Amino acid sequence: MLSEEEVARLLRHIDGREWLVACLLYGSGLRLLEALRLRVKDIDFEYRCLLIRDGKGAKDRVVTLADELRLPLERHLGARRTVWERDRARGTADVYLPYALARKYPDAASSWAWQFVFVARLPSRDPRSEAVRRHHLHESAIRRAIARAARAAGIARRVTCHTLRHSFATHLLERGADIRTVQEQLGHTDVKTTQIYTHVLKRGGSAVRSPLGAILARNQAPE
């Protein structure tokens, strides 16, 4: 687990789409693949939330989206849409759809709503279908970015993508969030799993405010 000051230092040494993914891991408590499998339609800017589909245990859940990520995500999606439009013109805009949805809704695979938010730089051949399509960003890109950032930030301990998720849960509980609400944010089936983060129980109401804002404010403060 990292302190808030360590998370701030870590994020200073990440940029671009890797920074956005890292912010979602910490700011929304996502698992790495949950962040990388996000589709455009899963982001709700109006209600400041993300819909995590088919998470661990094949469960869906709704998690908080930090206010501070709205503008960066909107800018990213603007650039992402340009890539999608180019892929559509080339006939490579189809994405993988789960549960035979591609057969039920043949136009959905190439639609904007179903596109992955974070994608690989180049299309590749999908071994499941042999179709050439743009897959979501590979996990290794984020793992390497976080490992490099931890070294650059002078954090001696091993830092992984899951470390940011752990830190999210602990910092929420330290700020007084109800443990049942944190359990829902993390998608834990059993509250005992959530209790390993802290002994702080039943503080405050159920409203969740992501701790990412405080982290980004630290990065903007003068040294």
Side-chain angles (χ1 to χ4, degrees):
M1 202 273 289
L2 300 176
S3 68
E4 290 189 8
E5 190 274 336
E6 287 174 324
V7 175
R9 280 163 43 203
L10 182 81
L11 292 179
R12 288 191 194 113
H13 294 280
I14 309 177
D15 54 21
R17 59 184 178 171
E18 287 82 5
W19 178 86
L20 263 177
V21 175
C23 283
L24 289 173
L25 299 181
Y26 174 75
S28 300
L30 302 187
R31 299 177 178 92
L32 177 56
L33 277 177
E34 290 174 345
L36 297 181
R37 289 173 178 167
L38 275 178
R39 313 269 183 158
V40 172
K41 64 185 181 62
D42 297 332
I43 302 177
D44 190 327
F45 288 113
E46 181 178 356
Y47 289 97
R48 296 178 297 128
C49 64
L50 304 172
L51 176 57
I52 306 304
R53 299 179 183 275
D54 198 21
K56 191 173 182 180
K59 294 182 178 180
D60 295 349
R61 73 184 192 279
V62 177
V63 302
T64 189
L65 173 63
D67 291 341
E68 294 78 10
L69 288 185
R70 177 167 187 157
L71 184 56
L73 270 174
E74 286 177 340
R75 288 173 175 167
H76 173 79
L77 288 176
R80 173 69 185 94
R81 189 179 181 97
T82 299
V83 172
W84 167 71
E85 290 173 346
R86 187 167 61 242
D87 286 346
R88 188 171 57 167
R90 295 172 177 170
T92 58
D94 284 10
V95 294
Y96 170 75
L97 295 184
Y99 310 123
L101 287 175
R103 290 195 298 273
K104 187 174 182 180
Y105 304 106
D107 294 331
S110 61
S111 69
W112 170 239
W114 278 94
Q115 296 297 304
F116 290 117
V117 175
F118 303 103
V119 291
R121 297 193 184 280
L122 295 172
S124 59
R125 192 171 299 279
D126 190 330
R128 292 165 294 198
S129 64
E130 294 298 312
V132 176
R133 53 175 48 138
R134 197 178 295 270
H135 197 53
H136 65 65
L137 186 62
H138 198 274
E139 307 97 283
S140 61
I142 307 302
R143 291 184 180 125
R144 287 195 299 266
I146 288 177
R148 286 195 302 266
R151 291 193 297 269
I155 301 173
R157 303 187 306 285
R158 182 171 180 263
V159 179
T160 67
C161 298
H162 220 62
T163 304
L164 293 176
R165 174 174 155 89
H166 289 322
S167 301
F168 164 83
T170 303
H171 296 167
L172 277 186
L173 289 165
E174 288 175 347
R175 288 167 175 266
D178 183 274
I179 196 168
R180 294 286 182 179
T181 303
V182 178
Q183 175 191 3
E184 292 175 0
Q185 291 285 303
L186 295 177
H188 288 161
T189 302
D190 192 337
V191 72
K192 292 180 181 178
T193 308
T194 315
Q195 288 173 338
I196 67 173
Y197 295 107
T198 181
H199 297 295
V200 180
L201 302 176
K202 299 296 182 181
R203 291 187 184 177
S206 61
V208 172
R209 183 176 180 182
S210 171
L212 180 64
I215 295 300
L216 297 183
R218 287 174 181 263
N219 284 350
Q220 294 167 1
E223 295 291 343

